Amino acid sequence: MQERSKLGIIYPLAAYTIWGLLPLYWKQLEAIPATDILAHRIFWSFLFLAVIILFRKQWRETSVIFKSKKSFLTIASASILISINWLIYIWAVNNGHIVEASLGYYINPLLTILLGSAVLHEKSDKWQVISIILAFTGVAYLTYQHGSLPWIALTLAVSFAIYGLVKKITPMGPLTGLTAETMLVAPFALVFLTFQLSATTTYSELPGTTLLLVTLSGIATSVPLLLFAKGAKSVTLTTLGFVQYLSPSISLAIGIFVFSEPFTSAHKISFGLIWSALFIYTISRREVLKLFGIDKH
């Protein structure tokens, strides 16, 4: 079992590495509006996932969303939330806000804890409370220094945290769940893209490589999710918790060192407070101590 866990870590590592590198991918599509990229991402993701579902004969599991009003509304809510998240992220990357986008995914785990406590009545200990206070102090400081809310980071964090909450009450696996989510919005994406293709000449002026990349956006979206789903079966949630910070760390480095986005003193202090919050929360977990062979009494 331990050997399986060691091999299993390869899958989430690959997933979070791909997610961290995706800004480089979306940057190649700067000539295309974010709304168009979103529509392509949804439509091609659905086609790609549908082929996998068909191959694995899991359509019956996917059709569960139509068996009750609650299931349908839950998946529809997830579809809207993930679409908002994808749109804001793509727009942020292609408009020079990768640093702020990465901030959102650092905040997200702590916001998830807060939602779990407020909505699901999960117990929070003092270390979780301290972590949340530190994180929101970091956001407040950045807001004060820049004179405006870091709305991109907060929108990404809130949308993905609520999406995670909705997914928690959805009786579907990651693969069938995402297939159902994209299936509900794929018709709208197709109508939008059809209208765009007939109303503009943008696509006829694009190079073939750009058109190929936008078509492959469904694979770029779905592959890391499938890798993550595979890894989640082989490693503990604690291990996944460690690995999840790889993605925003890679994106942050890309924003600063590849695309020369500003990383001011205010950013350093804000990120420092949030990193401290994540560190305190992580090392306070009993499971983490056990991971390092330290028992906590």
Side-chain angles (χ1 to χ4, degrees), residues 120-251:
L120 301 179
H121 307 294
E122 296 176 352
K123 286 188 70 174
S124 298
D125 59 31
K126 64 179 180 181
W127 298 113
Q128 289 179 326
V129 174
I130 290 171
S131 299
I132 291 168
I133 291 172
L134 269 176
F136 283 97
T137 300
V139 173
Y141 180 80
L142 193 63
T143 300
Y144 173 75
Q145 289 295 319
H146 286 265
S148 61
L149 274 172
W151 68 270
I152 294 171
L154 291 176
T155 303
L156 289 173
V158 170
S159 61
F160 203 71
I162 300 176
Y163 174 74
L165 182 66
V166 172
K167 293 285 281 185
K168 192 175 179 66
I169 61 174
T170 302
M172 301 181 76
L175 174 59
T176 52
L178 187 65
T179 304
E181 290 159 24
T182 53
M183 178 172 64
L184 288 183
V185 288
F188 299 101
L190 181 59
V191 169
F192 178 83
L193 289 173
T194 302
F195 174 79
Q196 286 295 86
L197 286 170
S198 61
T200 68
T201 58
T202 302
Y203 289 92
S204 63
E205 298 169 356
L206 293 174
T209 51
T210 302
L211 293 173
L212 177 63
L213 285 174
V214 77
T215 303
L216 295 176
S217 61
I219 296 177
T221 296
S222 305
V223 166
L225 177 84
L226 298 177
L227 289 169
F228 173 80
K230 178 75 173 176
K233 294 180 180 179
S234 306
V235 300
T236 65
L237 286 176
T238 301
T239 304
L240 286 177
F242 274 121
V243 178
Q244 73 175 325
Y245 302 122
L246 180 62
S247 174
S249 298
I250 293 173
S251 296

Side-chain angles (χ1 to χ4, degrees), residues 14-31:
Y16 282 111
T17 298
I18 293 171
W19 278 326
L21 292 171
L22 274 180
L24 296 173
Y25 190 97
W26 303 129
K27 275 287 188 181
Q28 304 308 308
L29 305 176
E30 280 184 302

